[in-house]
Amino acid sequence: MAETPDNVPGEPAPEAAAGADEPDAQVPKEAPPEEELRRAAPPGSLLRRVLDELVELDVAVYEAIEATPTPTIDVPLRKLSSAANHAKLYVSIGAVLFALGGPKGRRAAVTGLAAVGMNSFLVNVPMKFLGNRPRPDRGRVRVAAARHTKMPSSSSFPSGHSASGFAFAAGAAEAMPQLGIPLRALATAVAYSRVHSGVHYPGDVVAGSLVGMAVGEGTVIAARAVRRRLGSAGGAG
């Protein structure tokens, strides 16, 4: 299933503040990304202080990754990130499992891709709308064009790529447990590639990964219930 691309605001353009006393004062047109979560809690509250620290940590980790030169892995991670656009990577794996994996492979493909479909709806419709977090200000620390993918147009939180990877892994591993470790390793690499390529903060991919795990396990439970019901109906017939 396709994932809606994410939206990133343009770099905030300053506008002159009114007032003759401070003619050169400037304010940004929009708050920086880290302000989005802080507004969710009353100033001075424990929740606000915790959110302040978590968001600052999130941004600091992102900037540390961006500031670290990694020419050897920049291009491979960029290509991996792009390969996972619109869940193409998982559709391709599912197609191979369906064609070559026998009955278990077909079940793994169907359950895994059903999990991706459920995940795509949940993440791209309600969760991104409610999260409404701007994308990172890419290049603020260091410009590393070799690692950058095209900036998506939807909100940054949570990461749909990360969620889809872990949802597919959970769904496919239900029928073929031997795929659990390699598919989760792949999902982890894709999740990190989204931070490395500058389109997500670490917190976005952590949240997306957790959502994907939950959706995948929920899809597995639903698939087992459907199979039991169909088996009971067939036995009764």
Side-chain angles (χ1 to χ4, degrees), residues 213-230:
M213 291 177 196
V215 170
E217 294 299 333
T219 304
V220 166
I221 292 171
R224 286 173 178 166
V226 168
R227 286 197 300 270
R228 282 196 301 268
R229 184 164 185 175
L230 290 176

Side-chain angles (χ1 to χ4, degrees), residues 8-232:
V8 71
E11 294 192 17
E15 61 180 5
D21 293 337
E22 297 179 348
D24 296 328
Q26 294 180 335
V27 294
K29 284 186 176 179
E30 62 181 40
E34 53 267 31
E35 288 299 319
E36 294 297 315
L37 287 177
R38 292 171 178 168
R39 291 173 176 170
S45 66
L46 175 62
L47 177 58
R48 177 66 168 264
R49 294 197 302 273
V50 170
L51 287 173
D52 283 347
E53 293 176 5
L54 288 176
V55 172
E56 288 189 9
L57 179 63
D58 197 24
V59 174
V61 173
Y62 171 82
E63 291 182 347
I65 292 171
E66 186 177 50
T68 304
T70 53
T72 304
I73 63 174
D74 283 349
V75 173
L77 285 173
R78 185 191 72 211
K79 290 182 177 179
L80 176 63
S81 182
S82 297
N85 288 346
H86 309 296
K88 290 181 293 187
L89 180 60
Y90 310 114
V91 170
S92 299
I93 295 171
V96 171
L97 291 174
F98 193 91
L100 304 177
K104 286 187 176 181
R106 289 191 288 275
R107 196 173 92 195
V110 170
T111 308
L113 292 176
V116 171
M118 291 295 296
N119 167 81
S120 295
F121 173 80
L122 179 64
V123 169
N124 291 317
V125 180
M127 294 192 74
K128 281 189 178 290
F129 175 78
L130 294 173
N132 195 30
R133 188 184 193 188
R135 293 282 172 168
D137 183 7
R138 193 158 67 180
R140 187 164 67 177
V141 177
R142 183 180 69 90
V143 176
R147 66 169 62 179
H148 289 168
T149 62
K150 182 179 179 181
M151 188 67 80
S153 60
S154 65
S155 64
S156 189
F157 183 90
S159 165
H161 285 65
S162 306
S164 288
F166 281 96
F168 181 79
E174 185 267 341
M176 302 182 75
Q178 67 271 28
L179 295 179
I181 291 177
L183 287 178
R184 288 181 175 93
L186 177 63
T188 300
V190 169
Y192 173 73
S193 77
R194 302 303 285 170
V195 180
H196 194 87
S197 61
V199 297
H200 277 295
Y201 291 102
D204 301 333
V205 303
V206 170
S209 299
L210 294 174
V211 170
M213 291 177 196
V215 170
E217 294 299 333
T219 304
V220 166
I221 292 171
R224 286 173 178 166
V226 168
R227 286 197 300 270
R228 282 196 301 268
R229 184 164 185 175
L230 290 176
S232 299

